[in-house]
Amino acid sequence: MFKFMLNDAIGYVRNNVRDISLNALRLLPHLPQLSPYDVNLVLRENEFIFNFPLDGVIHSYETNQLGSNTPCEDSRTEASLLFRNGFICGIFDGHGGAACGQVVSKRLLRYISAATLPRQVLKDKMQKGCTSQSFLKCHNDNADFVNEIKPIYEHSFNKYITELIKEPQRDVTSELQHAFVHLDESLAQEALATHDVRTMGVALSGAVACLVHLEGLQLHVASTGDCGAVLGILDPVTNQWQPKKLNTEHNADNMQEVQRILDEHPKEERDTIIRNGRLLSQLAPLRAFGDYRYKWSVETLQQQVVPMFGEHMMPPHYFTPPYLTARPDVQHHELDVNDKFLVIASDGLWDFLSPSEVVSLVGQHVNSKKIQEPMRLENGDVTLQEISDKLAERKAGLNRKPIDSNAATHLIRHALGGTDYGIEHSKISYYLSLPKDVVRLYRDDITITVIYFNSDHIAKLKKDEKGISSKVTGA
Amino acid sequence: MHRLLRSVAISCHAAAVQRTDHGVRRLSITGSDVDPADEQVLRKRKFKPHQQSAELSEKLAGQMPSQARVVICGGGITGASVAYHLGLKGWGGETLLVEQDRVGGELPWSACGLAGRFERSYTELKLAEYSTDLIKSLTEQGLPTGWRQVGSLNLGRNFDRMTSFNRMKSQAIAWGMNCEVLTPEQCLERCPLISLDGVEGGLWIPEDGVCDPHLVCHAYLEEAKRMGVRVIEFCAIKKIHSAHGKVERVETTAGDVACEYFVNCSGFWAREVGTLSKPVVKVPLKAVEHHYLHTKPIDQLDPNTPFVRDFDGRIFFRECEGHILAGGFEREAKMVYEDGIIPLSQQARQHPPDWDHFHELLDSLLHRVPSFREAKLDRLTNSLQVFSPDCKWILGESPEIQNYYVAAGNKTMGVSASGGIGLVLTDLITKGFTYLDLHILDITRFLGLHNNRKFLRDRCKEAPGKHFEVNYPFEEFQTGRNLRMSPIYPQLKEAGAVFGQSMGYERPNYFDQNDKQDEFGLPRFRIARTKTFGKPPWFDHVASEYRACRERIGIADYSSFTKYDLWSKGNEVVELLQYLCSNDVDVAVGSIIHTGMQNPNGGYENDCSLARLSERHYMMIAPTIQQTRSMCWIRKHMPAHLRPKVNVADVTSMYTAICILGPYTRVLLSELTDTDLSPRSFPFFTYKELDVGLADGIRVLNITHTGELGYVLYIPNEYALHVYERLYQAGQKYNIQHAGYYATRALRIEKFYAFWGQDLDTFTTPLECGRSWRVKFNKPIEFIGRSALLKQREEGVKRMYVQLLLNDHDHEVDMWCWGDEPIYRDGVYVGMTTTTGYGYTFEKQVCLGFVRNIDANGQELPVTSEYVLSGHYEVEVAGVRFEAKVNLHSPNLPTKFPDREREAYHATRDRPDQADLLSFSSNLTTTGQ
């Protein structure tokens, strides 16, 4: 019981950390001051930029990750869909260990890349002996499953495909939901079937996910848990950046979500299900992969989990499981020429910055990037005065030139060091030099992926589409 | 948690770095005709040769002579001019010019084409003037050069700039240049395009003009070819071989050529070509971006628009084929090729323009000429230019290899420089001397440090900007500092030293106690600033240091002085020095002599002090700027039979030199050593090796180079701090005070001491500067320059070194003298001042300088003491003449501490055989001078 009280206390501190953090930081004695060079080294360690070589809807993406837990519990995967023009990427914020997040981040994309393929194509490909990795190409992938685990996952995947082929094609939204739920079920089955401490670890740790699926102009954001996705739209009239949220976080602030959970359980449990903003006073996100401590029946837990991990694995007030689901909310959005970029990030970022702040920061970054390129003059006559005016405009921009070329790093730097009057180095230094045992109180793992859309290409696609539809109506 | 993922080294940095490297655009050539061995050489050299077809190679191989007297590398304007002048001297048939691409370059108009003479020194001005005259005469011969004498209009926006124009106007009379100081309205008359906003006046040079550098280059080459010079294009130099320290053979892509002389005129690539020999010839140059703006043709643009320079706006412009060509020199230049890899081809030298960098200059141009706002852009070119670390041309014979000449660093002024450079280099090659003193441009003014790539990168940011800055006295560079420092530097810094740099050495110029610490309480590194032509901001500091040296004890750091040790087993070292020096060096052991090293014309190549440490061991002390130069001179003129026997070692970096000067120095030094320092045992102009404090082996010279009583201590570096602390501690009771270079300089100017590089140069003879008593004609050896000096003694000197004290000059309000002011005798121009300063005892401006005697027909007559003393003198300072009193010998300054020895000694004497008054040093066989 004491432990849970402690957890509650941590939860309380975490929730209020924004208010007390800076004062508390000042109180921590003798933190080493990092030099700007060291700070850059830390912030840029996990940077990645990918420019798509071909003309597509996506121009490039930039991503970065800053760990707080050791090891970092966030994962990210980005991939191009094969056999069609598409892109898929996801951010996975693990809790209770990194295992679930790591596994889901790899497998979920494979499931979805297969599920959204037309059934006939899928059938043909599978007959030719395809594996789980045949339907996508990962861009920043430098790890794979160990040999003992790989066949188990491959087996589950094949089972999933076999079922899939039997079922008729659904729309993308349903396929996404189906894949989420199916993968989550697989995790449980694998754990119970193999009795391996590793597969059990995956099932008992948890992860929230935010996944972006883009094919043509059709953008789907599937989100389970408290990651966030926000679209940056450039208002063509005012030239201002507008944010558009593409998901709702599943946490205690989301009244609809709280209501859903309460409705699914008997009235007697109203006071115990959600306490201190947490599920069973333990779990902050209200939906997640894994976390079978909140999903399995009491018997399963008693027989399978408690002997392996001990009595404390049993949550308090555990009466009518499952309390948790992996089913995502899916939002659909059709891309428009004014949609310039999409930011998805784990809650580590949203703790510090609001969606509108994020969009304006990335927007500024986009503007300043133009300035970093050498000036090009249009052909034809141009007077020296015109050039001078143009240069003056650029000069104003040059002064605001960001330190980071990667927008994700730019966001992390602002999240940690942003003040009303600009970036404060000492603040970042404090955050980065906090001792391991307390750092988690002040900042969570942060993972960010910024996807840039190619407006020219979108405009072209839109035009083609119109052409086709008008033809259709004309006929 | 359990590790489920096989961890693979996460290395996304490599992928994340996606730089588009347009900095270095190399030619991708895989020439099948380049054999692997060649390739090795060329890779080392870091640029690849131009692709040549096998056919062309064969054809070239046939053309290539196996022998030539002079091989010139580089077919740019400098190389062309050298070839042309060699042709004129009749060496055309023996000269070969090799160019790796096409001669003249492929890019016309990557230069402004000004042929002008607005230069800072007499030498540079004369070279530029000759170039202009040459272009004019080539045009008159009917060669296309694009020459038009449109004049140059130089605008000034502030008082200091106008003062510098006025100084130039004063100098112009002496230097034979036409110019006129204009009011703003007159400027507008000369060029109606400009706006007068902020303009305070201008300087008009009517004889300047513009030309097309491309055409001029071809004109030189055509003429050179006519005179027999062979020009081979598409042929790159691979290696320069030397034997016995002299050029022997040049290896090219089209075969070998045996040669006697090699001239590196490769301009932009000169530093890299320097690496093609062993030892490497160091040509310190760094490439920076340089923009030229071309507009589209402008209606009714006057073709005779003058060449306009707005120095304070850092821009210039000219009319060029109906349009405007403009450019400028930005405050901080943009470096290129920081990795040192210079591309070979002309095309790669052209960079994409950086508009943001040019912005400041563009706005400045539009401010000056509002009508250009509507002009249409044709293009902005960014052609790279190389600059030397001091923003001066680099000329002369390399110190590393004899007969290897360099002409480089023309800093965008190729046309103005080329003619003169061609002429003087040809003189040096064919005759061994020329008609101008070149020491400020000589390649021997550098040390190895100047060729350090990082140093160049640091310094050359600043160098181009200097080009258009006001030529203030004692200007210092802000970059490339704290490079050479004496061991007592930290102590000096703490004591408030404000530094100046000479040969990379940080030397305290004066000491300022205000604001000497930074915000952490640490001593601040401060660079001396004068930034005025009037009373300098350091006046009071120097006054107090000066008084300390005259009345108490001053302590100064002389460490930057050049120090050589010369020794031999037998008597060879004496033989060598007797041959090189004009004074008699065979003096008693322990004596010090001042002597010049004369050139065959009697001029000073070096003015040094020699201390005879032992029978066969001398120590030479020479000015700081002589470090490379005097070694070259000694090596080059060492008779062959002495070469294996005499050792000459540069020990500059082994000793710290501390000078204590003032009436109490003898007492002070006596406290720290057991040796008797009384004049009887340690007289003036002698040397002793002493123990000082707890240290030993300190070479103490009883001279100060200022005329004060005192000693210079040459201390092995590891003892330097110890000796310094002991001196400073013991000196406290005498109120010892630090003295900087400006204070010692003020002392020596008042005492009428000449310094090489400032008063003396390669054209000054000892007879002209009152030092004939230091020339021993009766030495049993025909020393260098003896016959010339003898002849001069017979004929009388044509100019004489004088000291002038200005009357009625108010040092608070009037412009000061800073050197190069014209001297008038009875209203007639007779010469220029060399060094000048404020005499704190005389309380007057003191000028040192030379006067001539030119009669009405322009004939130069001998100058006698009577002639000098009989005139009425005036010195013109920035357009204002001040009456002056003349001195021919060092004065005796009033003092509270009379000292017989020093009063008897006059550095500069009006009578050649003035009696020596140092009678009491009779225990030495020869008195030391």
Side-chain angles (χ1 to χ4, degrees):
Chain A
M1 205 56 203
F2 173 72
K3 191 149 197 173
F4 297 128
M5 276 173 66
L6 188 72
N7 275 347
D8 285 0
I10 289 174
Y12 175 78
V13 172
R14 266 266 287 144
N15 288 342
N16 297 289
V17 83
R18 284 298 79 70
D19 310 324
I20 61 168
S21 68
L22 275 176
N23 296 329
L25 279 170
R26 303 278 187 246
L27 296 177
L28 282 172
H30 308 306
L31 282 183
Q33 175 83 21
L34 299 180
S35 71
Y37 175 81
D38 293 327
V39 164
N40 285 346
L41 225 53
V42 175
L43 292 186
R44 292 177 183 167
E45 194 187 341
N46 297 316
E47 272 188 351
F48 183 78
I49 295 182
F50 188 84
N51 291 305
F52 287 85
L54 291 169
D55 243 12
V57 173
I58 299 181
H59 179 265
S60 64
Y61 76 84
E62 296 171 1
T63 170
N64 196 2
Q65 189 172 53
L66 179 71
S68 159
N69 297 301
T70 26
C72 175
E73 294 181 348
D74 281 7
S75 300
R76 56 187 163 157
T77 310
E78 308 86 26
S80 291
L81 296 171
L82 297 181
F83 314 119
R84 72 215 111 138
N85 222 340
F87 175 78
I88 183 167
C89 78
I91 279 182
F92 305 88
D93 179 359
H95 48 260
C100 185
Q102 287 178 348
V103 168
V104 172
S105 88
K106 295 208 158 296
R107 294 176 68 188
L108 184 62
L109 271 73
R110 297 176 189 174
Y111 275 51
I112 290 168
S113 61
T116 55
L117 206 60
R119 292 285 188 262
Q120 194 52 47
V121 182
L122 182 63
K123 218 186 260 175
D124 295 350
K125 294 289 167 194
M126 284 317 285
Q127 272 162 7
K128 284 179 192 151
C130 282
T131 65
S132 62
Q133 294 179 55
S134 306
F135 305 102
L136 76 174
K137 165 145 186 13
C138 292
H139 296 303
N140 184 22
D141 193 16
N142 32 36
D144 199 2
F145 296 119
V146 293
N147 283 334
E148 300 91 279
I149 301 293
K150 217 177 183 172
I152 305 175
Y153 290 166
E154 210 55 35
H155 176 73
S156 300
F157 181 77
N158 285 332
K159 224 168 84 188
Y160 171 66
I161 298 293
T162 322
E163 277 174 38
L164 211 58
I165 289 171
K166 286 182 201 146
E167 291 164 15
Q169 184 92 40
R170 290 173 290 243
D171 62 356
V172 178
T173 306
S174 314
E175 287 292 358
L176 289 175
Q177 283 174 337
H178 183 253
F180 270 61
V181 173
H182 194 101
L183 174 63
D184 193 42
E185 283 166 5
S186 301
L187 296 180
Q189 283 159 14
E190 286 150 13
L192 296 177
T194 57
H195 285 285
D196 189 322
V197 76
R198 286 181 287 200
T199 49
M200 192 55 95
V202 173
L204 290 178
S205 60
V208 298
C210 183
L211 184 129
V212 173
H213 180 275
L214 178 72
E215 225 184 304
L217 294 175
Q218 308 310 315
L219 179 73
H220 287 87
V221 177
S223 165
T224 187
D226 54 3
C227 289
V230 61
L231 192 67
I233 303 168
L234 185 66
D235 190 317
V237 186
T238 60
N239 223 14
Q240 296 286 312
W241 291 97
Q242 306 285 355
K244 183 183 178 189
K245 203 86 201 312
L246 288 184
N247 72 325
T248 31
E249 285 92 354
H250 301 125
N251 56 23
D253 297 337
N254 182 342
M255 280 323 289
Q256 235 179 327
E257 183 67 8
V258 172
Q259 197 57 50
R260 176 187 68 79
I261 294 176
L262 294 181
D263 291 348
E264 284 173 6
H265 296 276
K267 280 211 169 67
E268 299 80 71
E269 292 185 48
R270 279 193 86 96
D271 297 336
T272 54
I273 289 183
I274 292 170
R275 263 186 162 186
N276 288 331
R278 282 161 179 258
L279 187 69
L280 300 175
S281 72
Q282 286 186 347
L283 196 64
L286 301 183
R287 293 190 199 182
F289 279 100
D291 279 328
Y292 270 90
R293 294 167 60 197
Y294 312 102
K295 290 177 182 166
W296 274 328
S297 65
V298 179
E299 298 80 51
T300 318
L301 281 182
Q302 288 291 4
Q303 285 159 17
Q304 306 282 350
V305 180
V306 172
M308 212 187 278
F309 296 98
E311 197 61 49
H312 71 273
M313 289 306 284
M314 199 72 180
H317 313 291
Y318 196 72
F319 306 115
T320 54
Y323 288 92
L324 197 65
T325 172
R327 171 175 293 273
D329 276 341
V330 180
Q331 270 203 33
H332 170 242
H333 176 85
E334 185 175 323
L335 284 181
D336 187 69
V337 276
N338 297 324
D339 300 338
K340 302 296 180 188
F341 58 84
L342 174 69
V343 182
I344 53 174
S346 60
D347 64 336
L349 177 73
W350 307 113
D351 286 345
F352 288 98
L353 298 175
S354 72
S356 58
E357 281 170 333
V358 165
V359 166
S360 67
L361 281 171
V362 178
Q364 274 172 24
H365 196 259
V366 169
N367 291 347
S368 63
K369 245 194 213 165
K370 275 186 216 148
I371 288 160
Q372 283 174 357
E373 290 168 14
M375 182 168 90
R376 286 195 192 83
L377 293 168
E378 308 92 59
N379 294 332
D381 282 355
V382 48
T383 67
L384 298 184
Q385 183 61 47
E386 283 162 13
I387 297 173
S388 170
D389 292 345
K390 220 169 159 182
L391 287 170
E393 208 176 282
R394 282 168 61 81
K395 198 172 170 187
L398 277 177
N399 294 336
R400 292 196 304 268
K401 192 166 120 182
I403 313 163
D404 304 295
S405 60
N406 185 317
T409 317
H410 182 69
L411 284 174
I412 295 179
R413 192 181 293 273
H414 274 268
L416 299 185
T419 62
D420 293 342
Y421 44 89
I423 294 280
E424 196 189 302
H425 170 75
S426 65
K427 210 176 144 194
I428 307 181
S429 170
Y430 264 118
Y431 272 120
L432 294 183
S433 55
L434 286 166
K436 264 187 188 157
D437 46 343
V438 301
V439 58
R440 184 60 185 76
L441 294 176
Y442 297 96
R443 59 179 176 91
D444 197 354
D445 298 327
I446 301 177
T447 306
I448 305 170
T449 300
V450 183
I451 301 158
Y452 292 103
F453 301 116
N454 184 345
S455 302
D456 296 342
H457 195 77
I458 293 177
K460 211 178 109 204
L461 288 183
K462 285 259 170 199
K463 216 171 131 194
D464 292 352
E465 226 170 55
K466 239 182 229 159
I468 290 163
S469 62
S470 65
K471 244 182 232 162
V472 170
T473 48
Chain B
M1 232 349 172
H2 318 288
R3 296 190 67 81
L4 287 164
L5 297 175
R6 188 192 300 144
S7 68
V8 177
I10 297 165
S11 58
C12 43
H13 316 309
V17 179
Q18 292 194 331
R19 256 181 243 128
T20 45
D21 207 349
H22 43 194
V24 185
R25 291 182 301 164
R26 267 163 275 176
L27 286 180
S28 54
I29 296 161
T30 48
S32 53
D33 50 326
V34 179
D35 72 56
D38 285 1
E39 203 147 27
Q40 200 54 40
V41 172
L42 295 161
R43 184 167 310 125
K44 223 171 137 190
R45 164 189 173 183
K46 297 202 174 140
F47 49 80
K48 295 179 182 175
H50 221 281
Q51 186 166 18
Q52 298 170 1
S53 64
E55 207 179 305
L56 184 61
S57 284
E58 266 169 42
K59 211 175 97 197
L60 283 178
Q63 275 183 20
M64 198 63 145
S66 64
Q67 207 178 341
R69 199 157 178 195
V70 186
V71 172
I72 302 168
C73 171
I77 195 157
T78 314
S81 165
V82 174
Y84 167 77
H85 285 94
L86 281 168
L88 282 183
K89 282 269 149 48
W91 284 37
E94 299 164 297
T95 303
L96 173 71
L97 187 146
V98 175
E99 164 61 44
Q100 49 113 352
D101 202 304
R102 298 181 75 98
V103 291
E106 286 177 351
L107 303 158
W109 295 122
S110 53
C112 63
L114 166 72
R117 55 196 81 192
F118 188 93
E119 295 291 345
R120 293 182 172 195
S121 70
Y122 179 69
T123 309
E124 289 165 289
L125 182 128
K126 280 291 159 191
L127 290 177
E129 184 183 82
Y130 171 80
S131 305
T132 312
D133 292 345
L134 179 62
I135 293 167
K136 238 191 260 186
S137 76
L138 288 176
T139 315
E140 279 158 18
Q141 285 169 40
L143 291 159
T145 56
W147 164 258
R148 271 177 299 123
Q149 187 175 319
V150 294
S152 78
L153 176 64
N154 305 286
L155 301 174
R157 292 199 201 173
N158 54 49
F159 179 75
D160 283 349
R161 180 72 69 185
M162 290 313 293
T163 307
S164 78
F165 286 168
N166 279 319
R167 287 175 54 85
M168 186 131 202
K169 164 87 178 120
S170 293
Q171 289 160 0
I173 294 159
W175 291 351
M177 175 177 117
N178 255 333
C179 70
E180 205 180 320
V181 176
L182 305 181
T183 62
E185 289 69 32
Q186 286 170 316
C187 293
L188 197 61
E189 274 170 38
R190 303 283 178 192
C191 178
L193 286 170
I194 58 168
S195 125
L196 288 181
D197 184 25
V199 172
E200 290 200 2
L203 185 75
W204 171 249
I205 309 176
E207 279 155 24
D208 280 358
V210 291
C211 61
D212 180 342
H214 202 63
L215 292 177
V216 173
C217 180
H218 282 285
Y220 283 150
L221 276 171
E222 286 313 310
E223 285 297 286
K225 281 188 199 161
R226 200 172 53 75
M227 292 182 286
V229 174
R230 300 183 72 166
V231 176
I232 296 190
E233 292 179 315
F234 299 110
C235 170
I237 301 281
K238 277 170 26 184
K239 214 154 180 50
I240 299 109
H241 294 271
S242 59
H244 311 296
K246 282 190 179 175
V247 173
E248 189 196 32
R249 182 165 60 89
V250 173
E251 211 179 302
T252 74
T253 49
D256 287 12
V257 187
C259 65
E260 228 177 288
Y261 296 93
F262 178 77
V263 190
N264 179 354
C265 297
S266 47
F268 183 69
W269 295 273
R271 186 173 182 271
E272 277 58 45
V273 170
T275 62
L276 298 180
S277 56
K278 240 185 217 170
V280 165
V281 170
K282 299 187 210 61
V283 189
L285 289 172
K286 181 82 193 102
V288 301
E289 294 193 356
H290 192 70
H291 291 89
Y292 290 104
L293 178 81
H294 296 260
T295 65
K296 292 203 169 134
I298 296 173
D299 283 344
Q300 284 154 6
L301 185 62
D302 182 2
N304 285 323
T305 301
F307 190 96
V308 178
R309 274 178 286 200
D310 179 2
F311 291 102
D312 301 298
R314 302 181 165 275
I315 48 124
F316 62 81
F317 67 86
R318 61 165 283 196
E319 184 275 340
C320 167
E321 292 163 3
H323 71 272
I324 287 292
L325 165 57
F329 292 88
E330 56 276 54
R331 207 176 305 272
E332 191 172 297
K334 206 174 145 207
M335 294 284 123
V336 281
Y337 307 128
E338 301 211 4
D339 51 2
I341 301 171
I342 303 270
L344 183 74
S345 75
Q346 299 271 359
Q347 287 84 0
R349 189 177 160 184
Q350 200 81 351
H351 259 217
D354 181 346
W355 276 102
D356 294 311
H357 193 68
F358 191 72
H359 185 196
E360 197 190 339
L361 299 176
L362 176 66
D363 277 358
S364 176
L365 176 72
L366 297 185
H367 171 235
R368 186 52 54 222
V369 194
S371 64
F372 289 172
R373 288 170 199 270
E374 297 315 313
K376 305 272 193 305
L377 173 76
D378 180 28
R379 63 189 188 277
L380 181 71
T381 62
N382 184 3
S383 57
L384 308 177
Q385 298 286 347
V386 283
F387 283 83
S388 64
D390 57 358
C391 196
K392 285 198 159 63
W393 304 330
I394 302 177
L395 284 187
E397 189 179 15
S398 77
E400 292 88 358
I401 302 174
Q402 282 183 35
N403 294 349
Y404 185 127
Y405 287 84
V406 178
N410 293 346
K411 53 169 188 184
T412 78
M413 310 298 287
V415 176
S416 295
S418 64
I421 287 175
L423 176 65
V424 294
L425 269 192
T426 300
D427 275 354
L428 290 177
I429 291 169
T430 56
K431 294 193 293 193
F433 61 90
T434 183
Y435 70 107
L436 280 171
D437 175 60
L438 294 176
H439 84 265
I440 57 161
L441 304 177
D442 202 294
I443 189 167
T444 55
R445 72 181 185 272
F446 296 115
L447 287 173
L449 70 94
H450 292 111
N451 200 39
N452 177 318
R453 200 161 67 217
K454 292 205 178 78
F455 170 81
L456 287 170
R457 197 164 62 193
D458 197 21
R459 169 58 60 80
C460 290
K461 261 183 238 158
E462 200 185 345
K466 277 271 184 255
H467 208 57
F468 267 25
E469 247 151 47
V470 179
N471 188 14
Y472 287 116
F474 301 130
E475 266 295 84
E476 290 285 331
F477 282 98
Q478 305 295 313
T479 53
R481 299 302 296 258
N482 279 328
L483 191 49
R484 290 175 85 197
M485 291 172 280
S486 77
I488 59 168
Y489 167 89
Q491 268 63 25
L492 297 173
K493 193 158 83 166
E494 212 175 313
V498 182
F499 292 92
Q501 196 182 39
S502 178
M503 289 297 257
Y505 224 114
E506 295 295 348
R507 188 165 68 172
N509 277 357
Y510 55 93
F511 289 79
D512 180 357
Q513 301 309 318
N514 305 319
D515 197 28
K516 64 178 179 179
Q517 289 173 344
D518 63 13
E519 64 266 40
F520 305 110
L522 299 173
R524 198 195 287 276
F525 170 67
R526 291 176 296 171
I527 296 171
R529 279 170 62 91
T530 301
K531 298 277 180 213
T532 172
F533 291 103
K535 182 189 166 195
W538 38 259
F539 182 82
D540 294 331
H541 305 301
V542 174
S544 124
E545 290 163 29
Y546 174 95
R547 274 192 295 278
C549 297
R550 295 271 300 153
E551 292 161 15
R552 306 191 310 272
I553 299 182
I555 180 165
D557 183 8
Y558 280 7
S559 303
S560 68
F561 283 5
T562 299
K563 307 175 262 292
Y564 287 178
D565 266 11
L566 303 99
W567 71 98
S568 63
K569 259 190 179 162
N571 207 35
E572 292 87 358
V573 67
V574 183
E575 206 182 315
L576 171 71
L577 288 173
Q578 288 291 42
Y579 173 65
L580 291 175
C581 303
S582 49
N583 204 340
D584 187 3
V585 303
D586 196 4
V587 290
V589 171
S591 300
I592 301 169
I593 42 163
H594 281 328
T595 178
M597 289 190 185
Q598 261 59 42
N599 55 32
N601 296 329
Y604 277 97
E605 283 297 329
N606 185 5
D607 185 31
C608 57
S609 308
L610 285 170
R612 193 166 190 178
L613 307 185
S614 73
E615 204 58 42
R616 284 147 194 175
H617 189 173
Y618 288 84
M619 182 184 194
M620 184 186 103
I621 312 296
T624 310
I625 50 172
Q626 280 276 359
Q627 198 175 346
T628 308
R629 187 185 170 88
S630 54
M631 187 61 87
C632 291
W633 182 260
I634 294 171
R635 289 240 172 92
K636 191 168 175 176
H637 293 88
M638 196 183 285
H641 68 284
L642 298 176
R643 211 170 277 271
K645 298 191 177 143
V646 182
N647 295 299
V648 185
D650 180 354
V651 295
T652 305
S653 301
M654 286 168 63
Y655 289 94
T656 302
I658 297 175
C659 178
I660 45 172
L661 57 174
Y664 290 103
T665 48
R666 186 180 291 143
V667 195
L668 169 67
L669 196 59
S670 297
E671 282 181 31
L672 297 170
T673 184
D674 295 335
T675 314
D676 176 18
L677 299 182
S678 69
R680 195 152 297 279
S681 94
F682 190 18
F684 192 37
F685 265 98
T686 59
Y687 149 88
K688 257 190 194 336
E689 191 171 294
L690 295 184
D691 296 347
V692 177
L694 309 181
D696 76 317
I698 289 147
R699 298 175 176 181
V700 180
L701 276 61
N702 189 349
I703 49 170
T704 60
H705 306 283
T706 61
E708 292 306 309
L709 173 64
Y711 307 88
V712 188
L713 290 77
Y714 289 90
I715 313 158
N717 280 337
E718 63 270 38
Y719 291 141
L721 206 48
H722 171 81
V723 173
Y724 165 81
E725 305 246 296
R726 288 296 168 113
L727 284 170
Y728 198 61
Q729 254 169 28
Q732 288 304 316
K733 54 183 165 294
Y734 308 102
N735 207 352
I736 192 168
Q737 189 177 344
H738 285 104
Y741 168 69
Y742 293 165
T744 53
R745 187 175 178 277
L747 286 164
R748 71 121 179 131
I749 290 172
E750 226 171 1
K751 286 274 174 61
F752 201 1
Y753 278 38
F755 247 52
W756 191 90
Q758 297 175 26
D759 307 294
L760 311 180
D761 62 21
T762 55
F763 280 77
T764 313
T765 70
L767 278 61
E768 292 166 353
C769 62
R771 273 154 186 74
S772 49
W773 56 280
R774 281 190 191 154
V775 180
K776 299 295 189 294
F777 289 108
N778 50 3
K779 277 204 297 188
I781 187 165
E782 177 73 23
F783 60 86
I784 304 175
R786 181 170 183 269
S787 52
L789 291 175
L790 265 179
K791 185 160 165 261
Q792 196 179 37
R793 189 168 73 168
E794 297 305 313
E795 292 174 355
V797 294
K798 297 276 172 58
R799 55 184 202 149
M800 198 174 275
Y801 191 40
V802 299
Q803 185 182 47
L804 295 156
L805 307 177
L806 300 198
N807 293 323
D808 303 329
H809 182 279
D810 185 341
H811 74 271
E812 294 284 347
V813 284
D814 291 327
M815 289 297 114
W816 278 32
C817 310
W818 295 104
D820 284 334
E821 285 87 13
I823 304 168
Y824 291 86
R825 178 183 179 275
D826 299 334
V828 181
Y829 163 75
V830 288
M832 298 293 270
T833 63
T834 50
T835 47
T836 58
Y838 183 75
Y840 289 89
T841 299
F842 291 138
E843 295 183 334
K844 280 189 170 111
Q845 292 285 324
V846 183
C847 303
L848 308 182
F850 288 91
V851 297
R852 295 171 181 275
N853 183 4
I854 302 166
D855 71 8
N857 310 322
Q859 204 67 38
E860 272 202 79
L861 301 177
V863 180
T864 60
S865 304
E866 292 68 40
Y867 165 81
V868 172
L869 294 172
S870 63
H872 170 257
Y873 288 87
E874 284 169 309
V875 175
E876 187 173 307
V877 186
V880 183
R881 290 193 192 179
F882 293 93
E883 210 187 333
K885 175 187 175 294
V886 71
N887 272 338
L888 268 179
H889 58 79
S890 301
N892 284 335
L893 302 183
T895 170
K896 286 180 256 177
F897 307 95
D899 177 83
R900 267 180 67 210
E901 262 187 303
R902 271 153 201 83
E903 271 163 33
Y905 177 74
H906 291 105
T908 310
R909 301 179 185 182
D910 49 356
R911 282 188 301 281
D913 6 309
Q914 192 176 349
D916 257 315
L917 301 172
L918 306 180
S919 52
F920 51 85
S921 54
S922 53
N923 58 338
L924 295 169
T925 48
T926 315
T927 51
Q929 317 89 42

